[in-house]
Amino acid sequence: MKVNVNVLNGPALDWAVEEAEGEMHLRRYISPYSTDWAFGGVIIEREKITLDWRPDIDSARPWIATLPSGAEEMGVTPLIAAMRVYASGALGDKIDIPEELL
């Protein structure tokens, strides 16, 4: 099912990040990129994603993550925003997500 990356959360977002990382999805466990800094922080650092807290723009999604290319995504937490921008930068704005993850 095609879904906009800017609305992904939880396992669906983590799945998208694994897809962007080139993981094969052969294991049952999906790494918690969007909730655990030990996983997501590595990507933020490697991809040089910047984070900014801007509740004046959207109080429901106050974190803005930006790639060096200028692409931006928003999220309720810095990790969610960062993983959304990483996934959309690598895979595009709309991606196919397995329905069982939605």
Side-chain angles (χ1 to χ4, degrees), residues 4 6 8 10 23 25 29 31 33 35 38 50 53 56 58 60 65-66 68 72-73 75 78 80 82 84-85 96 101:
N4 288 328
N6 66 358
L8 292 178
E23 297 292 327
H25 305 293
Y29 178 76
S31 299
Y33 295 101
T35 57
T50 59
W53 189 66
D56 56 312
D58 185 343
T66 308
E72 292 183 345
E73 292 289 350
I80 289 172
R84 283 177 178 170
V85 79
D96 282 315
L101 294 175

Side-chain angles (χ1 to χ4, degrees), residues 50-73:
T50 59
L51 295 163
D52 191 22
W53 189 66
R54 294 292 308 272
D56 56 312
I57 293 174
D58 185 343
S59 62
R61 300 179 310 161
W63 288 97
I64 299 173
T66 308
L67 288 171
S69 67
E72 292 183 345
E73 292 289 350

Side-chain angles (χ1 to χ4, degrees), residues 1 3-5 7-19 25 30-31 33-34 83-84 87 91 95-102:
M1 169 178 233
V3 178
N4 288 328
V5 173
V7 299
L8 292 178
N9 285 307
L13 178 55
D14 294 332
W15 184 94
V17 172
E18 285 200 353
E19 188 76 8
H25 305 293
I30 298 173
S31 299
Y33 295 101
S34 65
M83 295 306 100
R84 283 177 178 170
L91 305 172
I95 61 171
D96 282 315
I97 297 284
E99 288 188 36
E100 64 268 16
L101 294 175
L102 299 174

